[in-house]
Amino acid sequence: MAALAAVKGTVFVVRNWKEITVGVVFAFILMAGLLLGMNTSEQQPIENINSPFGAADVPPNIAQWRGLVSEYTSKYGIAEYTDFLLALMYQELGNSQTLDIMQSSESAGLPPNSIQDPVMSVNFGVKHFKSVLQQGQKDEVDFATIVQSYNFGTGYINFVASNGGKHSVDLARKFSLNEASKQEWVCSDWRAPYCYGDYTYVQKVMKNLMPLDIAVGGRNYSPMGEQAFKAIISEAQKYVGWPYMWAGANPGTGFDCSGFTQWTFAKAGIKLPRTAQGQFEVSSKIPPAEAKPGDFIFYTGTYETDNYITHVGIYMGNGKMFDSNGSGIGMHDIDSPYWKSHLVGFGRVAD
């Protein structure tokens, strides 16, 4: 019987050799694709990898914590990072049921998941992120380095600062390998031999943050055009976290509100008056329903002066403005009670 089965098997192979060959090749290609797919997160470019600004693309189990995260980002003076931290939370938490929703236990010097109070987790997590952010800004590394350091620890900031100041997957691998060697860590998963942390952490976090919709012709397009808008915002992002500086109008002095708009708009070839009042006077007034990213948003009564207009910001859509105010340079919520109480309206300038 065994001999007969062997003969039948041989006949089957001979008669169907083409189909079998195609099947084997297809299986090989499929396996190769799966293996390559394991590391696509480090190969796929993320357009907004160095920008903390956007809308968190997260499921309901993460979005439910927005109010709590917003409370503590406001408490620690980094309200503009709320959506980014929700994107980070999704990477940290996934679909886990733990109440350490920002995985803050280890940052607090405790064993993993020791914290089982969401309020405590967010408090520690936001506070820890702010300390990482401040060190990164002090050492003048890019934002991607700051993100990766939430996973690696702040030693990565020092490492990148001494190696050009910009994060890359290659630098993350080198750092991981060095740290794993120091601690004699080994692993057999996809990270091997880079067994310290996750060297693809930046890409995994930033894919959860949708960039602001600035495409010309899109739902939320900028009337000044995509190229001009990007030039302005790319320049503005260089100064996120800088303190407000009265009468400042350039990077050497720092920026007040109108100095910030004057400097950034100049990068798109748009010349503006020096004061918020002057910028109000040269802009075309538009109703709130027609405001688009790149328009101005004007305020009154934010400090004592004879001028009617006392503050100006760059409207970004989605209830946000990019400006320099008492809490520093960054994205701020125009729907907060303070800003609502001082709002005058919106304006637009032509290039």
Side-chain angles (χ1 to χ4, degrees), residues 100-276:
D100 188 3
I101 58 177
M102 286 193 71
Q103 293 293 279
S104 301
S105 297
E106 291 172 89
S107 300
L110 301 170
N113 292 313
S114 296
I115 296 174
Q116 286 298 297
D117 177 356
V119 175
M120 185 180 296
S121 180
V122 171
N123 185 23
F124 272 114
V126 174
K127 186 176 181 181
H128 174 62
F129 172 73
K130 182 179 181 179
S131 69
V132 174
L133 177 68
Q134 289 177 327
Q135 183 173 337
Q137 291 172 339
K138 175 177 174 290
D139 291 347
E140 299 182 342
V141 297
D142 62 359
F143 186 69
T145 299
I146 293 168
V147 179
Q148 185 66 52
S149 296
Y150 193 89
N151 178 258
F152 274 168
T154 52
Y156 185 63
I157 292 176
N158 300 328
F159 179 76
V160 172
S162 62
N163 284 278
K166 293 186 177 181
H167 163 82
S168 68
V169 172
D170 185 53
L171 281 179
R173 281 173 169 168
K174 289 178 180 177
F175 182 84
S176 177
L177 192 60
N178 290 344
E179 294 301 309
S181 298
K182 288 178 186 176
Q183 302 186 42
E184 298 183 347
W185 286 1
V186 294
C187 58
S188 58
D189 58 18
W190 64 269
R191 299 175 300 161
Y194 313 105
C195 301
Y196 180 87
D198 179 354
Y199 66 85
T200 65
Y201 187 76
V202 177
Q203 288 86 345
K204 290 173 179 174
V205 171
M206 299 309 287
K207 70 179 175 59
N208 301 328
L209 190 69
M210 294 187 297
L212 293 167
D213 180 9
I214 60 173
V216 174
R219 175 183 58 80
N220 213 21
Y221 71 92
S222 173
M224 67 178 57
E226 184 175 7
Q227 185 175 358
F229 183 76
K230 282 187 173 180
I232 292 167
I233 300 307
S234 293
E235 182 66 16
Q237 287 175 343
K238 296 178 182 178
Y239 312 109
V240 171
W242 284 35
Y244 174 89
M245 188 61 63
W246 175 263
N250 61 68
T253 61
F255 297 98
D256 63 16
C257 67
S258 56
F260 183 65
T261 50
Q262 183 188 52
W263 178 268
T264 54
F265 272 65
K267 298 303 177 181
I270 300 173
K271 295 182 179 180
L272 295 173
R274 174 60 187 86
T275 67

